[in-house]
Amino acid sequence: MRIWIILLLALFCHASHAGLISGYITNEAGEPLPFASVYILGTTIGTASNPEGYFELELPAGEYELIFQYVGYRQHHETIILSDSPLSLNIRLETEEVSLDEVVISADAEDPAYRIIRNAIRMRKHYLKQVDNYKCEAYTKGIFRITEAPDKMFGDSLNTKSDSLIGIIYLSESESIISFEQPDKFKEEMISVMVSGDNQGFGFNFITFFMSNFYNNKIIIPVDMDKKGFISPIASNALFYYHYRLEGRYFEDDYIVNKIKVIPKRKIDPVFSGYIYIIEDSWRMHSLDMNIGKDANLRFIDSVKIAKTMVPVSDTTWMQLTQRLQFYFSVNIFGKRFAGNGIFHSQFTDYIFNNDFERRYFGNEIVKANEDANKKDSLYWEENRPIPLTAEEKRNYFKEDSIQKLHSSKEYLDSMDRKSNKIKWGAFISGYSYYRRHDSTSYSIGSPVTTLSFNTVQGLNLYLRTGFSKTFSNKDRLWINQEVSYGFSNYRWGYSLASSYRYNQNKSARLGLSGGIKPVQYNALNPISPLVNTLYTLLDGNNYMKLYEKSWIGITHSSELTNGIFLNAGLEYAGRAPLVNTTNYSWVKSSKNRFTSNDPQDPLNEGPAFSWNKSFKIYVGLRIRIFQKYMSIPEKSIIGSKYPDLVIVYIKGIPGFLGSDVDYDVLKLSIEGNQKIGAFGTMEYRGLYGTFINNREMEFMDYHHFNGNRTIFGKFGLNAFQLLDYYSHSTNKSYVEATAEHHFNGFIFNKLPLIRKAKWKAVVGFRYFTSEFKNNYFEISAGIENIFTFFRVDFVAGYDAGKNVRTGIVLGLSIND
């Protein structure tokens, strides 16, 4: 019945003159209550107050009973008769007075809250699945503020009278239509959005990622980068995580509402603290006010607050009216402290149930922003904005929009270029970039200092990189990078060019062209970097990098054929020439020098490793990701899939074509994915099977090379081994690789008080391969990641069949996020 009332009211709005109700909502001390709810009894038609407590609500002329509600305060009913004239209405809400007068608690008895919570847990699934589907409208306002910042950073002023970092740095409003169907189908259509200072932007106000349902066992917090999930106070296992205390109860209309304090048993668990309000007899949630503190060890976030209010939309159904997510953050950068907070407030209205959705209404597109969503003008927002702007927000819109106009002018962009394009001493170390912002063009040149390297083939090697990039008005982009190198020991120049053109963002399409002549590693994965090889060659007497000279031209193309199916194809024509060591220079004593030849198959062969040859090859790769979810805002942005990717690669070395000397066929099948295991962390895994269907004519660089490492500097990808020789297991037959890493995301170290504050995280790993199904190798590792946010240290033990166990410490960057 109430649904018809909602529809009739909405229709009546267009057929009758409307009146405006406005005023302030405060507490007993006269302090404003931000985001307090105002709605018509029995519906979700309403609004909320702004941070100053001010509200506006436009309704057709008539008589209404309005409800004013705020968590922790007594609900206020106000009957009004609205005419064409504006109505001013200031409301003072009183703190909810809860009573324990009718509750008998003996000294040795269980707190009455447990009876209520057990009943709420018993009814959890019922209320979770009570509504088969719904459709509603949602308004969201997002605000980020900086509350603390240094006056200067890297010599530049951050806080001046004319331009201060303190204050609002992000302000956005959006309207969306939300659709839901059991058990977990969700769709959001963004119909309007406004971002302060960015008239082309879409902001971050996606309800999809902010909505939470506490009838679920676990709640994913949007600002939790680890996505570990926090235990709902009425989860099926909540009694294992929480203590409860009945603070009291109060009457609201015909309901008895129980106010229950939620107390974590162990602060180190992924839990909330705060208050949950449960209705007696029906045992449904009335509202909640939950907090997550520093003990949760959220990265970059100090604390989080979630508040929700539920309202009846029928005799048996209550739905969410408001949700407020607020978070506080602080970070120290080189001893400079930054602090601030953010808030996302969402208002849900006009619920429609029992929708007859089309068969394919819910698909893989989770969020869609209409093409004109960010083109609504200020008049539109004046008429449709449900929550009035504060004076500060009005100033921010005006200021940022004015700044945007200034910053987009050619004169301003040219002035910025003149400033940033000045050559500074630091460019000698970091390189130099020249910008032309008005047409989105840039040029760059690398530093001659940081590009110096040393290896036993070239000796001292100097290479210089230059780059060019251009972004076009349709968002297509072109990159062109060149590299010139010279080896001072083998007296050979090298040159390479790589260009890439990105187009059709919805298809992730990219066309690439490369070519040149230069030394390259036998393993195309480049298992050792020039810097690391330089350190080990000069300081340790080990020349791990093995090189040959490649002259080539190649073409590549990649694109998404249809949602979740990606094609990557290319061809390459190359000449390959052997290189030999030309120097044995090192900073270690000759007696400790362990240099080997440049032949990866024979460390004692100082002659050429192979004869000069030509190669023409083609390759085709498919990545298949089933049920891939994505957003269209309006360009496609991939979210991912809960299922693993299947990757199929075929490589063909074609004999005879343009004198090609190779003849081989390779087929690779791999599966890659990750699985979240609640509070226990995330498991990443990869399995690869490869086989050379034909290996009639091929050189060593065409083999499959396992991605090894013999240094203390590791690469922590799923395709990398930490203690494996670089080339001793290379094969041109069948092979299998299997890798798994489990990131505990704080599950272990959060329980150790002295370590918890450092926010370190435990990680374990397993790596295995077999070549020709008889040569077996595996590694196990245990380590610590998130050291100073980015670094990782592992202890690794490797076992090679028939050989001793090898152990070592490996350092590197955390790359799992």
Side-chain angles (χ1 to χ4, degrees):
M1 183 61 184
R2 286 185 172 88
I3 297 302
W4 290 107
I5 295 174
I6 294 172
L7 294 174
L8 287 171
L9 282 172
L11 180 63
F12 192 61
C13 287
H14 297 281
S16 172
H17 295 290
L20 179 67
I21 314 159
S22 63
Y24 288 88
I25 305 174
T26 61
N27 62 14
E28 296 156 299
E31 299 168 333
L33 293 177
F35 303 111
S37 300
V38 184
Y39 62 96
I40 300 173
L41 178 65
T43 76
T44 54
I45 296 175
T47 183
S49 60
N50 67 17
E52 296 173 346
Y54 179 72
F55 74 94
E56 289 181 352
L57 180 61
E58 191 171 8
L59 293 170
E63 184 175 343
Y64 301 95
E65 184 172 356
L66 297 182
I67 306 296
F68 295 81
Q69 185 170 321
Y70 195 82
V71 177
Y73 287 79
R74 182 180 300 171
Q75 192 181 81
H76 179 85
H77 291 240
E78 187 80 20
T79 300
I80 63 167
I81 298 176
L82 190 61
S83 64
D84 295 344
S85 301
L87 175 63
S88 178
L89 191 64
N90 294 324
I91 301 297
R92 188 182 70 174
L93 296 184
E94 298 177 353
T95 303
E96 191 60 69
E97 293 183 2
V98 296
S99 172
L100 289 171
D101 292 345
E102 299 178 5
V103 181
V104 179
I105 306 176
S106 59
D108 58 348
E110 180 182 67
D111 192 287
Y114 285 88
R115 174 188 66 87
I116 300 167
I117 290 296
R118 287 192 181 95
N119 280 304
I121 292 173
R122 176 175 57 84
M123 294 297 293
R124 180 188 67 83
K125 285 187 178 180
H126 170 74
Y127 291 124
L128 181 64
K129 299 179 180 179
Q130 183 180 20
V131 175
D132 291 332
N133 68 54
Y134 69 79
K135 202 170 187 177
C136 73
E137 297 179 9
Y139 165 84
T140 297
K141 177 184 286 187
I143 306 174
F144 292 175
R145 282 187 176 86
I146 295 293
T147 57
E148 183 181 344
D151 292 332
K152 288 188 175 182
M153 189 77 178
F154 303 122
D156 294 327
S157 296
L158 298 181
N159 294 309
T160 64
K161 290 183 179 180
S162 60
D163 187 16
S164 175
L165 188 61
I166 303 295
I168 295 176
I169 59 170
Y170 169 81
L171 171 61
S172 179
E173 301 171 272
S174 65
E175 295 176 306
S176 296
I177 296 174
I178 307 299
S179 302
F180 170 82
E181 187 171 76
Q182 295 285 359
D184 57 3
K185 296 178 181 178
F186 197 90
K187 183 176 181 178
E188 176 180 357
E189 180 185 359
M190 181 177 282
I191 58 176
S192 61
V193 61
M194 182 162 67
V195 182
S196 180
D198 185 2
N199 59 14
Q200 298 298 313
F202 289 87
F204 313 111
N205 297 3
F206 302 114
I207 301 291
T208 302
F209 305 111
F210 290 100
M211 279 190 74
S212 58
N213 188 342
F214 276 70
Y215 286 121
N216 285 315
N217 280 323
K218 290 185 177 179
I219 313 301
I220 300 296
I221 305 300
V223 293
D224 177 18
M225 297 176 66
D226 295 322
K227 307 296 181 187
K228 52 180 170 284
F230 286 74
I231 308 299
S232 168
I234 57 170
S236 57
N237 59 345
L239 293 173
F240 177 75
Y241 290 94
Y242 295 105
H243 293 298
Y244 302 92
R245 186 171 69 230
L246 180 63
E247 297 287 287
R249 53 180 49 174
Y250 60 90
F251 284 91
E252 185 175 281
D253 299 328
D254 298 328
Y255 310 106
I256 297 176
V257 182
N258 297 288
K259 179 181 181 181
I260 298 172
K261 187 170 186 178
V262 178
I263 308 165
K265 287 186 175 181
R266 297 167 297 275
K267 293 181 179 180
I268 58 177
D269 289 333
V271 290
F272 299 94
S273 63
Y275 296 93
I276 186 169
Y277 297 79
I278 304 292
I279 298 175
E280 188 76 18
D281 295 331
S282 66
W283 315 117
R284 60 164 41 97
M285 280 189 295
H286 171 277
S287 54
L288 58 83
D289 191 354
M290 291 290 154
N291 301 287
I292 300 172
K294 286 189 175 183
D295 292 307
N297 256 4
L298 300 178
R299 276 188 278 176
F300 308 113
I301 302 296
D302 295 333
S303 61
V304 179
K305 179 184 179 70
I306 299 178
K308 286 177 173 287
T309 57
M310 314 285 288
V311 296
V313 294
S314 73
D315 294 335
T316 59
T317 305
W318 288 51
M319 296 299 291
Q320 181 172 257
L321 178 67
T322 64
Q323 175 182 286
R324 186 169 74 255
L325 172 72
Q326 194 162 359
F327 57 92
Y328 299 85
F329 60 88
S330 63
V331 63
N332 283 286
I333 303 176
F334 299 110
K336 305 291 187 179
R337 176 178 166 81
F338 294 81
N341 60 72
I343 184 169
F344 286 91
H345 175 84
S346 299
Q347 192 91 9
F348 304 92
T349 60
D350 296 346
Y351 283 93
I352 301 175
F353 304 99
N354 302 317
N355 298 273
D356 187 17
F357 292 122
E358 296 179 1
R359 182 171 174 266
R360 295 188 178 180
Y361 180 81
F362 293 97
N364 293 315
E365 185 183 54
I366 303 301
V367 179
K368 177 183 179 181
N370 292 344
E371 290 286 344
D372 64 344
N374 61 352
K375 296 177 174 60
K376 302 292 195 300
D377 59 19
S378 58
L379 180 60
Y380 171 90
W381 283 101
E382 286 289 339
E383 295 176 348
N384 290 275
R385 175 185 292 118
I387 301 178
L389 296 176
T390 65
E392 180 190 23
E393 291 164 356
K394 290 178 181 178
R395 289 193 301 269
N396 183 266
Y397 271 129
F398 179 79
K399 172 187 173 183
E400 294 299 326
D401 291 347
S402 300
I403 291 175
Q404 183 190 18
K405 292 177 182 178
L406 171 64
H407 287 187
S408 59
S409 67
K410 186 177 184 299
E411 293 77 9
Y412 177 83
L413 294 175
D414 288 345
S415 69
M416 291 295 294
D417 288 342
R418 285 192 293 270
K419 180 179 178 181
S420 61
N421 289 339
K422 291 180 180 178
I423 300 177
K424 300 178 182 179
W425 285 107
F428 190 67
I429 301 297
S430 61
Y432 173 73
S433 295
Y434 178 88
Y435 298 97
R436 207 167 62 212
R437 289 178 173 86
H438 73 271
D439 63 355
S440 302
T441 303
S442 69
Y443 304 85
S444 65
I445 185 168
S447 164
V449 174
T450 56
T451 55
L452 282 172
S453 66
F454 185 88
N455 61 70
T456 53
V457 173
Q458 299 170 286
L460 181 64
N461 178 39
L462 174 65
Y463 56 96
L464 189 63
R465 294 191 179 107
T466 62
F468 166 83
S469 72
K470 166 74 175 178
T471 302
F472 301 92
S473 58
N474 62 356
K475 298 185 180 180
D476 289 357
R477 190 170 183 183
L478 173 67
W479 292 269
I480 300 176
N481 296 297
Q482 300 180 88
E483 180 182 297
V484 178
S485 64
Y486 182 74
F488 285 86
S489 182
N490 67 345
Y491 310 110
R492 292 186 68 86
W493 289 91
Y495 173 80
S496 67
L497 179 145
S499 61
S500 178
Y501 182 70
R502 185 193 68 192
Y503 67 99
N504 194 348
Q505 291 187 63
N506 286 327
K507 294 294 185 180
S508 302
R510 190 181 291 258
L511 178 66
L513 174 66
S514 66
I517 177 171
K518 70 174 186 177
V520 298
Q521 297 188 52
Y522 281 84
N523 185 348
L525 294 176
N526 295 322
I528 185 168
S529 71
L531 174 61
V532 172
N533 183 73
T534 298
L535 295 175
Y536 270 80
T537 301
L538 295 177
L539 302 177
D540 190 54
N542 278 301
N543 59 335
Y544 291 126
M545 182 181 286
K546 306 303 176 187
L547 303 167
Y548 71 96
E549 187 175 74
K550 178 180 176 181
S551 52
W552 84 100
I553 184 170
I555 300 173
T556 62
H557 183 264
S558 60
S559 178
E560 186 177 25
L561 302 180
T562 187
N563 183 53
I565 300 180
F566 301 85
L567 172 68
N568 183 25
L571 56 87
E572 180 188 88
Y573 180 63
R576 287 95 64 94
L579 295 172
V580 297
N581 288 339
T582 61
T583 180
N584 61 357
Y585 180 79
S586 178
W587 293 344
V588 300
K589 295 180 179 179
S590 57
S591 60
K592 295 183 178 180
N593 192 314
R594 297 180 292 276
F595 286 164
T596 58
S597 74
N598 192 47
D599 184 346
Q601 294 178 286
D602 185 355
L604 301 179
N605 175 29
E606 294 296 343
F610 61 92
S611 299
W612 185 86
N613 63 84
K614 297 178 182 178
S615 165
F616 183 84
K617 68 178 181 180
I618 60 172
Y619 62 89
V620 179
L622 278 179
R623 179 176 292 270
I624 302 171
R625 183 179 297 144
I626 62 174
F627 301 118
Q628 173 183 270
K629 307 300 181 184
Y630 64 93
M631 303 188 300
S632 300
I633 49 173
E635 289 84 11
K636 185 173 184 177
S637 177
I638 295 172
I639 299 172
S641 172
K642 63 181 180 180
Y643 300 100
D645 291 1
L646 173 64
V647 182
I648 305 170
V649 177
Y650 173 72
I651 305 172
K652 171 63 179 176
I654 301 176
F657 186 78
L658 297 176
S660 174
D661 299 307
V662 298
D663 182 6
Y664 63 89
D665 297 83
V666 184
L667 179 64
K668 301 179 184 181
L669 303 173
S670 65
I671 185 169
E672 304 170 2
N674 63 78
Q675 182 65 50
K676 293 181 174 61
I677 313 177
F680 294 95
T682 302
M683 171 75 75
E684 295 182 304
Y685 56 88
R686 175 179 181 263
L688 167 66
Y689 169 74
T691 183
F692 284 79
I693 302 170
N694 155 38
N695 61 2
R696 281 188 288 269
E697 295 292 338
M698 56 192 311
E699 297 293 339
F700 188 66
M701 65 283 292
D702 302 317
Y703 282 39
H704 175 77
H705 305 289
F706 299 99
N707 198 7
N709 177 48
R710 292 303 311 276
T711 75
I712 196 173
F713 303 105
K715 295 181 180 179
F716 292 113
L718 290 179
N719 66 340
F721 294 85
Q722 306 305 331
L723 302 179
L724 181 67
D725 289 332
Y726 292 102
Y727 296 106
S728 61
H729 294 279
S730 299
T731 181
N732 64 350
K733 297 183 179 179
S734 297
Y735 57 91
V736 172
E737 292 184 29
T739 310
E741 281 195 344
H742 187 79
H743 304 270
F744 285 95
N745 296 339
F747 178 76
I748 293 178
F749 289 151
N750 271 8
K751 297 173 174 58
L752 304 176
L754 297 179
I755 298 179
R756 185 171 67 234
K757 290 184 178 181
K759 297 187 178 181
W760 292 354
K761 298 176 182 180
V763 57
V764 296
F766 173 81
R767 289 168 167 80
Y768 167 83
F769 80 77
T770 179
S771 175
E772 303 173 50
F773 298 98
K774 59 183 180 181
N775 299 317
N776 298 294
Y777 174 87
F778 68 84
E779 293 177 351
I780 56 174
S781 61
I784 302 172
E785 58 185 347
N786 203 48
I787 301 172
F788 302 116
T789 304
F790 304 108
F791 299 102
R792 171 172 164 178
V793 178
D794 275 19
F795 174 79
V796 187
Y799 176 77
D800 197 345
K803 299 181 181 179
N804 295 328
V805 174
R806 178 185 292 167
T807 60
I809 300 292
V810 180
L811 316 175
L813 297 175
S814 298
I815 61 171
N816 61 298
D817 292 326

